[in-house]
Amino acid sequence: MTLGLKLSFPPMALYTHFFSRLLLKEQSIEVDPSTLISDAISAGIYITFYVEPNMANDFGEGTSTQPALRSAFQVLMASATQKKLVPEKQVNKNLKTQLENSIIDWLKYNKLGWSQQSVATLGKEFVNIISGVLWYLDGHHETLKERAHPVPAMFAKFNGFNKPETHKHHKRESNNLTSSLLLEKSSALFRLCGSTYLRDKSPSPWVPVKENLLRLADNLRLHSEYLDRQNNTMTMEHKRKVRRTDEYEWEVYSRKQIWPALKAQYGALHDCLLNASAYTPLFLNDFAPTDARRRYEFINGLVFPFKTVRFSYTSCREHLHFVWKFNDDDSETFLLQKNDEVSNALKADFPKYFTRSMRRTFLDTFGRVSAVNPALLRNMFKTLTGDVSSAANTHEAEIDARLAQFIDDEDETLVWDLRVNNGRPETYLPFLERCQQYLASCVETSVSDRRHDDVIEGEVVTHMATALNATDFYDQVIKTCPPDIAIPSLQWLRWQFWPRRPGSAASKRYTGRIRVKYMIMARQMRENHIDQYYASAMFRYQKEFCVRFHNYTSLICQDDKHTIKVGEPGLPVSAVERGKQVLVAKDQTFEVADHDFTKFSLSPSVSFKVEIPDSMMGSFYRGVVYVGLKENAFEASSCLRHLAEYSATVPRDNPIECHYHDGGPDHNVRHMRNKLANIAYFLDRNLDALSSVQTPHKHSWKNPAERCMSILNIGLQGVGLMRQKTASCEDKLKNAGNLGAIRNLESILPQIRQEVLDAVQPVKDLLGDVFSRLKLKDEPLRPFQAASRDDISALAQTLTRIDPDFDASVLTDSKKTVKPGRLILDFIKKHCLERHYMFSIKRCGDADCVCGKPSLPEEIFHDLHHLPDPTASPTEADKYMNFQEIYGKKHTDEELFLPSKIHRRGEKNHGMPFPPSSQYAKNTKSVIQCDECQRWRCLYSKKALKRDDRDQLQREMDTLIYSCGTSFSDLDELPDDSVLNRVFMSKKLTCMSPMEIPYYASFPEEPLCFECGTDDNLCDYDAKKNYPLCEGCRAAGKTFNERRTKAFAARETGGH
């Protein structure tokens, strides 16, 4: 049976009163209002509810004659939302209560509220949270707006209630917005937005309120994070031991026509410059408006009726600008020289700022040993250093001002200058000269362009990287001193080194007379090579060979510097710095593009012709430096190119040449292509002997040519580079993303080679002019042009003297395989000595041979032999025999004492007592950065490190210089309780290895490119399937590496 229940709901009693009748299709059953529903449904199991027609209009539906049918749920909801209540207003006890009442009035005005059951809980909670947040933000709306975290307009009106002058503690601090409270308020707003009544969708009146609440909560969170960053920055600043480096900016202005509007703005400045002489600086700040925005526009819009230079100085607080005019006929060299003189004179008067940590160190040092008032100590520090930093607080500033006035007025004779007397008379000057001679002749010094110090009187402050400690160095120098030289103490000698950390408190004890920074070798953590001592002995033999025949020998050391990027037309790229204005050409200034991706680059090639000393005690770091620039797309480095450049650049002064270089592909003496190139050079230069020696892998720092790299960096400071447009190939070059693609264009555009070389030639000319002004020990650097294709081909054709059928193109085309014929192989067997780190060629003495007649005197040529193989000393373990003992002896077929041949090893293992897994990496949660490839490498531990261990590990890593393949076990004299004994890194890694897989499990929140380790410009990737990849590596042809999957998939279950 189907029943119909017809209900009548009185307008104001929808929940309690029912007037119903039960309807059937054939009959109607009347139900009394007092009848229970359970009794009414006993007549049937299907019930339909109807609203009485007289109730429809109460809900805005239907008519009196046509009832609108509604469900009971709709009726209940309509009744529940019909009336909105707000919390009751309180008596205005204080301004906080006034704010709450204003919020309640705002709710009424916008017809917002809650039901009678919820107003006391949800309503009160809403008012309390909103009033608490707005009260805390009151007075800081402008601050938040300036930081791009504004209070939404809906709540901006609730301002001006929190008045500090009415408080008991009425001095409001300028930094009373704290990170923790902002985060607390933000969390409260986010929780409030999760309330049920705020989750309603449009057209609910709460929707705009919720949107503004979420915006306010997010802005408070962002400002909290901003304050955290600022606090961390200021904490680091206060702890800094070294001042921030000041920045300088140059700009050259050409002559411009001055229109009336510009004359009104810059007329006073132009008149002063006109009356001033050339290279007389004027303080531009005196002419600029005081308003920051107008001053910025004034300086950016500078124009002059004559050629002018602007020099700007920027420090942590000061922005000083100077201008001076120069003559039209002044050369670029003279202009740079005069500009340096003027700027150096100005720098002497610039304000100096020291960190709080530096001032605190001074106060602690002298405060412990004296009863001097701290204010007097602060004044002493400012007087001695010229520090103009502000005081830590207002109270300290007032005291310092009063003390300064007291000193100026009452004791004008108080003068402190602790830098006048720097010790006893020069008693030990001869001993210091012996130290310098020993360092120059016997100690291999490592020069790194990332770790070099100031150039003083032509000397580069280098890093001493030897196995010696201070005591050994002291003893070795004493052995070279005659009896009449005064010998100082060991501690006095230590003080003569350059300080390791100039900003440290101990640095003031060092005099820097010995321009070497002493560093313990064990702390440098460079890759050890099994042949490193063997190769060092080979280089020493070569140097002793040069000294033995110094009247007939030339020593040339060669190395290539890291590439220099060249910007596209109109987008100059800074050679070593980014994001600043630099001088790129005479009378022109460009804004340097702040990006890393360029199509073209140059490689500086350094050839250092050493001035060979008369003895091994002399220096091998004097001579002439030749610098060439090669475009990497069509002038790639190769052994044949280097030798062709030697022939065209380095004069042939002697019939014997010795070359020293690293073991890269363009110099590896074991490659047949490079051997043939050396033979061609030997024949072309008409030499009697040629020896080419290379360094082991990752030991190019031993090359004396490395000393020149830091000097080149000085010349590259503030230089912006961009190429010119090619004549007809720009459209094709736009689609070429790397050097390989550019080279491939030559097959369809034969003219592209010459057009590209012409486009970068102005850049070469500019850098050549810069390099020519640099010096190594008062000897200017000499630029040269890269060898042309014809020069290289002509040198390769020299081999046809040995074998007329030899195809010389195999030496110029790297895609072809080098297969020398029998005649060339016979020449190598008769005239050459092939070794792992050396390739030597010598004339046979037969006048009829293709090698020609010797040009050396007969007695000298008779004494001329190939370099000997390093031979183990029979009397001293772990040492090689002296050069004089084995020179001239017959060579064996193999190198008997080459360590890598004696100890054949397979693939290098990780060198850890446990596998490098993700779990062991998580035990340390630490990484260390390679100083060469800049990749982050994981640290592993068998057990999880405690907080104290992690802190000790961090302190230890701050003093280390790490390179891939090394480990903490390479350090000497580690204490037994050192955490480094329990932390390991994989020794299997090289600088060519990608990121370690355990890194991504240990640091999932910090993704880095799997190939190069950068965090910039990462491609979109699926973190569950692939490892990250950057746009640069993707453009270079790299693809995503898939993540490892589980070895066993889950087994499917099912019934039989």
Side-chain angles (χ1 to χ4, degrees), residues 377-440:
L377 288 175
R378 291 196 299 270
N379 190 278
M380 292 179 183
F381 181 83
K382 292 185 176 182
T383 304
L384 292 172
T385 61
D387 181 28
V388 295
S389 302
S390 60
N393 48 58
T394 306
H395 180 69
E396 183 178 296
E398 294 176 355
I399 295 177
D400 291 348
R402 295 173 185 175
L403 179 62
Q405 182 179 3
F406 167 76
I407 293 177
D408 292 340
D409 294 342
E410 301 295 333
D411 191 2
E412 298 178 353
T413 62
L414 183 59
V415 178
W416 298 85
D417 190 356
L418 304 179
R419 296 167 290 181
V420 173
N421 186 8
N422 195 25
R424 63 182 65 185
E426 301 297 331
T427 307
Y428 301 124
L429 184 58
F431 180 82
L432 292 177
E433 292 177 353
R434 289 284 174 172
C435 292
Q436 293 286 10
Q437 292 177 3
Y438 179 80
L439 291 173

Side-chain angles (χ1 to χ4, degrees), residues 456-498:
I456 302 178
E457 299 178 1
E459 294 284 344
V460 178
V461 179
T462 61
H463 293 239
M464 183 173 165
T466 73
L468 301 175
N469 54 32
T471 304
D472 292 335
F473 174 71
Y474 178 74
D475 294 338
Q476 293 297 328
V477 175
I478 291 178
K479 292 179 182 179
T480 65
C481 296
D484 57 339
I485 289 184
I487 306 298
S489 66
L490 176 60
Q491 186 60 42
W492 185 90
L493 177 63
R494 287 194 178 104
W495 289 348
Q496 310 314 306
F497 283 95
W498 199 267

